[in-house]
Amino acid sequence: MAGSDTAARTVPAPDTVKILIAGGFGVGKTTMVGSVSEIAPLRTEEPLTAAGLGVDDLDGIEEKKATTVALDFGRITMGDDLVLYLFGTPGQQRFWFMWNDLALGALGAVVLIDVRRPQASFAAIDFFERRRIPFVVGANGFHGVHPYPPEEIREALTLPEHIPVLLCDARERASCRDVLIALVDQLIASAGRDGAPGRPGRLP
């Protein structure tokens, strides 16, 4: 009995990693966090109001009725030794000042894009490139449609080869989890490029 108690106490705690889910206005960040989170996600959505007229660009997303005004939060366990804490950023330009605070302590990011409006995510890509925070790009297929292959998207966004571009559906848990797995792999590879070799299945 005592031996079992000792064994239980010596099981190492899982690594915990802060991840940002970022991108432009209306690209599916709140949907992704909600789809993949194993806990009830924290959301700070508020209805769109007249205050956003002329400020928030609804071109192509006219059906959008609510928006994140602070952050989204969720959690997903990736095996026995890794837990990801997901922080979804607000997309509207008037809330970008919050990104610096949300990025504190983040090891990586998923930049979601809407291929119908790729310009909406240029600022997010620039944000993480400037801060040298590893990221992957998830091309969210609205209505389940992916009109462009990953390489065409990479070329349009002028992304280097080492940044993964993945087709995904923010509504589907398995699809979102695949994007997060690709990001974990990217974090390990990035650590290796910086001279700290990663360990398979775990972050350095």
Side-chain angles (χ1 to χ4, degrees):
M1 190 72 171
S4 298
D5 291 342
T6 301
R9 288 196 298 269
T10 58
V11 174
D15 291 332
T16 57
V17 176
K18 180 180 181 180
I19 298 298
L20 296 189
I21 310 298
F25 182 49
V27 296
K29 301 179 295 296
T30 297
T31 300
M32 180 176 185
V33 173
S35 295
V36 79
S37 178
E38 65 196 16
I39 62 173
L42 168 68
R43 292 173 173 159
T44 59
E45 283 195 308
E46 294 292 340
L48 291 172
T49 66
L53 293 177
V55 179
D56 297 328
D57 183 7
L58 292 174
D59 187 28
I61 52 171
E62 292 82 3
E63 72 280 4
K64 188 172 177 62
K65 303 300 181 186
T67 186
T68 299
V69 296
L71 59 89
D72 301 307
F73 175 77
R75 184 189 74 197
I76 180 171
T77 300
M78 310 286 280
D80 296 332
D81 56 1
L82 181 62
V83 176
L84 304 184
Y85 289 102
L86 310 176
F87 290 77
T89 65
Q92 309 95 306
Q93 186 171 356
R94 66 183 185 275
F95 294 132
W96 283 354
F97 69 91
M98 300 179 61
W99 285 35
N100 285 322
D101 290 337
L102 288 172
L104 292 175
L107 290 192
V110 173
V111 176
L112 279 184
I113 69 165
D114 177 354
V115 294
R116 303 170 302 175
R117 304 176 299 118
Q119 71 281 0
S121 293
F122 287 159
I125 291 172
D126 183 66
F127 180 90
F128 295 111
E129 286 182 336
R130 287 178 179 272
R131 288 158 181 79
R132 302 188 67 182
I133 297 176
F135 66 94
V136 300
V137 170
N140 186 17
F142 282 80
H143 310 296
V145 176
H146 291 99
Y148 306 105
E151 285 311 310
E152 285 190 24
I153 296 171
R154 178 190 306 283
E155 183 177 353
L157 298 175
T158 63
L159 293 170
E161 286 295 325
H162 71 268
I163 296 178
V165 177
L166 303 103
L167 305 180
C168 66
D169 188 330
R171 303 168 300 176
E172 297 182 0
R173 175 180 171 83
S175 179
C176 297
R177 193 173 189 275
D178 287 345
V179 173
L180 293 172
I181 290 172
L183 176 59
V184 171
D185 291 341
Q186 176 75 342
L187 295 180
I188 295 171
S190 178
R193 287 194 299 271
D194 292 338
R199 291 167 286 170
R202 289 180 63 89
L203 295 182

